[in-house]
Amino acid sequence: MAINWFPGHMHKARKEIAEIMPQVDVIIEILDARIPFSSENPLVPELRGDTPVLKILNKSDLADPIQTQKWLEHLQQERGIKAIAVTSQDTKQIKDLLNVISSMVPHRVSQDKQLRALICGIPNVGKSTTINILADRIIAKTGNEAGVTKAQQRIRLDNNIVLHDTPGFLWPKLEPEDCGYRLAITGGIKDTVTEKEDIAYYAIEYLMEHYPELLIERYQLKDMPETPIEVMDAIALNRACIRKGGIADLYKVSEIILNDYRSGTLGAITLETVEQGIEAKAIGKIQEAERLAKKKEFEEKKKGKKRPRR
């Protein structure tokens, strides 16, 4: 199932960010520690130039700590990138980010100039909560759903920092397809534009391969079934999600699986490794190249069909 979610306010945000990017000293990108690649926005490296970027892996308490450390090391290999794992449950940890931001542009601090920072992140990644902690007051609306922030705003923080907030936004097409699934599992895409059974099936398939012991423990499975659908059937029996005729209610089972994952009840789980992120990036480049080639071919055909003026 291809997932495509790009509300109108996100298209507007894309334009606004392109306009404001040259004016900022530091870019703060909030990522989901469970999906550091899929929650990363490709527009940031495309538009940042030499501007330093602080990548904050939020919700690290819900992610596999071993994988999080590998992601931090990988991300910081790129010039001008600093990466830190945080959780919004630790407010002191978030407040300390003000000093980190200042340290990334020491020339602005030494000249006692106002430091201009741009904060961005995909929906439901914890950007608004982070802003409220940094500002020591309720400024940004928060909510456990995608696409809460709809308008850009400017916020004054300590350390002589002015923070430009932007609406959470995704790119028009979520490619490769695995990225869309991972975003849907974590709640980065509204549930109303996905099929829960399909998303839960993908999650179970991944967990069977990478975290089978957590599945067995959480859902009291005697042993690991061979297929994801058999796992879902077993959960249906254990949780009494059975319809008339003894048929498993896969919708209810899917809700249980997704809620357990998002709340951390299933355990600390990361949905993509560094290696999977690198592979996905390579696939995305190939798909983009193919798309551009087709577009060029189409444009050439259009030119060829145009009649010469008399």
Side-chain angles (χ1 to χ4, degrees):
M1 178 184 71
I3 300 172
N4 189 358
W5 183 57
F6 197 57
H9 73 271
M10 293 183 178
H11 180 69
K12 179 184 177 185
R14 182 176 184 168
K15 287 185 175 180
E16 289 176 346
I17 287 176
E19 291 173 0
I20 198 173
M21 195 74 82
Q23 305 170 30
V24 301
D25 304 303
V26 178
I27 299 163
I28 305 165
E29 184 178 21
I30 312 289
L31 307 177
D32 189 322
R34 299 168 296 177
I35 50 170
F37 174 77
S38 294
S39 60
E40 195 175 44
N41 195 299
L43 289 178
V44 172
E46 177 186 321
L47 300 173
R48 64 173 280 238
D50 294 324
T51 306
V53 180
L54 173 60
K55 291 185 179 288
I56 299 173
L57 274 62
N58 196 22
K59 305 187 181 183
S60 61
D61 54 320
L62 301 176
D64 185 332
I66 295 174
Q67 296 301 328
T68 297
Q69 184 57 39
K70 290 180 178 179
W71 271 107
L72 290 174
E73 294 169 0
H74 172 71
L75 291 170
Q76 293 186 126
Q77 290 177 7
E78 187 177 347
R79 183 177 60 83
I81 300 291
K82 187 172 184 61
I84 295 178
V86 304
T87 168
S88 56
Q89 308 304 317
D90 188 341
T91 56
K92 183 182 181 303
Q93 190 182 41
I94 301 294
K95 288 290 290 183
D96 286 344
L97 292 174
L98 291 171
N99 294 326
V100 176
I101 296 166
S102 296
S103 70
M104 295 179 70
V105 279
H107 62 284
R108 299 287 296 186
V109 177
S110 63
Q111 296 171 6
D112 197 27
K113 290 185 176 180
Q114 195 174 68
L115 196 160
R116 301 158 300 186
L118 169 69
I119 188 166
C120 58
I122 69 164
N124 200 32
V125 79
K127 177 169 65 70
S128 295
T129 300
T130 301
I131 290 171
N132 291 338
I133 295 172
L134 290 174
D136 266 336
R137 59 192 187 278
I138 303 298
I139 290 179
K141 181 181 177 183
T142 63
N144 190 26
E145 63 170 314
V148 172
T149 306
K150 298 285 197 305
Q152 193 172 128
Q153 55 184 330
R154 190 174 297 180
I155 305 151
R156 293 189 178 277
L157 306 176
D158 292 340
N159 290 27
N160 203 20
I161 296 172
V162 174
L163 190 66
H164 295 266
D165 181 23
T166 60
F169 67 102
L170 296 175
W171 42 107
K173 291 184 179 178
L174 306 172
E175 294 177 340
E177 196 172 275
D178 284 337
C179 292
Y181 276 102
R182 293 165 188 161
L183 283 160
I185 293 169
T186 58
I189 298 174
K190 284 186 177 180
D191 287 337
T192 53
V193 297
T194 64
E195 295 178 13
K196 281 192 175 180
E197 297 92 333
D198 193 29
I199 300 305
Y201 185 98
Y202 182 97
I204 291 294
E205 189 173 42
Y206 185 88
L207 294 172
M208 286 176 69
E209 181 179 353
H210 298 277
Y211 299 94
E213 70 287 352
L214 296 182
L215 274 178
I216 291 172
E217 180 183 353
R218 175 60 185 165
Y219 301 115
Q220 300 176 344
L221 305 176
K222 292 181 180 179
D223 49 38
M224 181 58 70
E226 292 185 2
T227 66
I229 197 66
E230 289 175 331
V231 172
M232 296 174 81
D233 285 339
I235 295 173
L237 284 172
N238 289 347
R239 297 299 180 86
C241 298
I242 304 296
R243 292 178 174 176
K244 290 182 179 179
I247 300 172
D249 189 333
L250 295 183
Y251 184 84
K252 285 187 177 180
V253 170
S254 299
E255 282 193 320
I256 289 171
I257 294 166
L258 294 176
N259 288 338
D260 282 352
Y261 178 78
R262 292 170 184 174
S263 66
T265 307
L266 252 175
I269 298 168
T270 297
L271 289 179
E272 59 191 9
T273 63
V274 170
E275 292 74 23
Q276 288 170 327
I278 293 172
E279 181 183 2
K281 188 173 184 178
I283 292 172
K285 285 183 177 180
I286 292 171
Q287 291 176 334
E288 179 64 18
E290 290 175 347
R291 184 163 48 249
L292 289 174
K294 288 180 180 178
K295 182 179 179 181
K296 184 178 180 181
E297 182 182 356
F298 177 72
E299 292 296 333
E300 291 296 329
K301 285 182 179 179
K302 280 176 61 179
K303 289 179 181 178
K305 287 181 179 181
K306 286 183 179 179
R307 294 180 180 178
R309 291 182 180 179
R310 294 181 179 179

